[in-house]
Each structure stands twice: as C-alpha cells, then as structure tokens.
Amino acid sequence: MNVKLRRINEDDLERIIKWRMDTDITKWMNTDPTLTIKTQKEWLKNIQNSQTVEYWMIVVNNQPAGIINITDIDKIKKESSWGYYIGEKSLRSLQLAMYLEWNLYDYVFDVLKLKRLYNEVLSLNEGVIKLHQLCGSKVEKVIKNHVIKNNIEYDVTIMSIIDTVWKELRSSKKYDFIKFEMER
C-alpha cells in the first residue's frame, strides 16, 4: 500500500463535497452539512491561511481516498485536536486507519512538538473508539447529549494521547512511514 498525504487544493473540492455529504460519512460526524463549491472555496482559503489547522488529502495507490486534519492547534498549551475519514469505501482498511493514526502521532509530537492530541468521537461509534484505543489513545470522558443532529442528542467520547505515552508505545508498533506534505 502506497500512502501519501498532500495538501488539499481547489481540484479536490468537488470530491470532498461528495464525501462529506455522504450519509455513510456524516452519520459519524458532529454535523450534516450542505456544502457548495462556493462555500468550499471559502473554506479552502480559510484553512490555507490558518495557523491553527492543517488538512491533507489522503492518497492511496495514487487515488484520493479521504481527508486527515489537525485542528485547534494551540502552541501555548501544546495540544491539538484531529480527525479523518476515508471517503472511498474500497480503500478503507484497519491497516490504513492504524498507519494514518500512528503517523499522525509522529507528526504532532515530533514535528509540531505538541504534548497532547485529542479527538471527539460520537459515543455510538464503538468501532472507532476501539481503533483509537488500539492505537494508544485513552478515553478521558463522555459528554452526554453534546451533539444535536436532526433533533437527536448524541453523547460524545473525548479521547487523547500524550507524547510520553506515544514514545513508549511507538517501538512496539510496526508501520510504514507516511510523509506529511508541509507546503500549503
């Protein structure tokens, strides 16, 4: 499996709209957006100019597969949040998910020099919670009724990993290196 992470560009926006509005993706997300090319162009401009977010297109075997991101980068607290999704169903695999997560840990802790990486998962998404635990993250807390979609309240599980925990775990993990493109 050949995986690369490159910065998102305007040519990706139609594909991202399709993925992000797919019910198979949105059912696990905090929002069900209605996106347009106009709103996506503005979003792209904003993320390209931001110092607190980084987004990449996940490319598997030369095929765009999904999005991975770091958000809420706080250089004072030395922490950030993250998320990802694989929009191309045929490219989803446990191996890809684990490699992405472990490489993201390397990037956040070794390149950005942050100390804590956290994420939110809808609590009903038990498979992803188990995946993050398998990769080294721990459940910090569950916030009841934190997300409301279509008048339904959802609990959210907050998970995190700290740099020292990852440094201890890393030597026990076998995974291919994935390069994060740096230029915006």
Side-chain angles (χ1 to χ4, degrees):
M1 174 172 43
N2 177 12
V3 181
K4 296 177 183 173
L5 300 175
R6 65 163 174 78
R7 294 296 180 169
I8 295 170
N9 61 56
E10 199 168 304
D11 293 338
D12 297 320
L13 296 179
E14 290 285 351
R15 177 178 279 117
I16 291 169
I17 289 170
K18 177 179 162 263
W19 289 338
R20 188 57 182 87
M21 291 176 54
D22 184 333
T23 56
D24 194 44
I25 299 290
T26 60
K27 70 181 175 184
W28 305 115
M29 307 284 258
N30 289 358
T31 61
D32 295 330
T34 301
L35 304 174
T36 66
I37 200 66
K38 180 181 177 188
T39 60
Q40 285 303 94
K41 284 181 181 181
E42 188 63 31
W43 169 78
L44 180 62
K45 180 180 166 188
N46 289 337
I47 67 169
Q48 289 173 332
N49 294 321
S50 176
Q51 298 300 308
T52 61
V53 302
E54 296 193 41
Y55 280 78
W56 295 270
M57 175 65 68
I58 303 164
V59 180
V60 178
N61 299 327
N62 296 316
Q63 180 180 351
I67 302 295
I68 191 166
N69 65 68
I70 305 168
T71 59
D72 304 315
I73 299 169
D74 186 326
K75 299 210 175 180
I76 305 295
K77 291 182 181 179
K78 296 195 176 292
E79 66 180 18
S80 69
S81 179
W82 78 283
Y84 82 100
Y85 60 86
I86 304 298
E88 292 300 325
K89 295 175 181 105
S90 65
L91 297 174
R92 293 177 185 162
S93 72
L94 179 60
Q95 180 185 40
L96 175 61
M98 292 187 326
Y99 283 12
L100 287 167
E101 192 156 338
W102 291 331
N103 276 275
L104 185 78
Y105 294 170
D106 285 341
Y107 180 79
V108 165
F109 298 132
D110 296 342
V111 176
L112 297 182
K113 306 291 187 201
L114 302 180
K115 301 287 184 189
R116 178 175 172 264
L117 182 65
Y118 62 93
N119 65 308
E120 296 183 4
V121 181
L122 293 181
S123 297
L124 58 88
N125 197 348
E126 295 173 359
V128 167
I129 292 169
K130 288 177 184 174
L131 167 67
H132 293 326
Q133 289 173 320
L134 179 66
C135 288
S137 284
K138 306 283 187 234
V139 173
E140 286 189 6
K141 63 184 171 182
V142 175
I143 304 173
K144 297 290 186 186
N145 306 321
H146 188 61
V147 169
I148 300 172
K149 292 184 357 172
N150 302 315
N151 296 318
I152 300 171
E153 296 177 342
Y154 295 91
D155 298 345
V156 171
T157 300
I158 308 296
M159 305 184 73
S160 73
I161 187 168
I162 59 174
D163 60 339
T164 54
V165 168
W166 176 238
K167 287 174 183 163
E168 288 177 19
L169 288 174
R170 181 176 13 209
S171 63
S172 68
K173 308 297 183 192
K174 303 242 186 275
Y175 57 100
D176 293 342
F177 174 77
I178 301 172
K179 184 177 190 236
F180 284 72
E181 182 179 272
M182 303 295 281
E183 290 79 35
R184 289 185 190 242

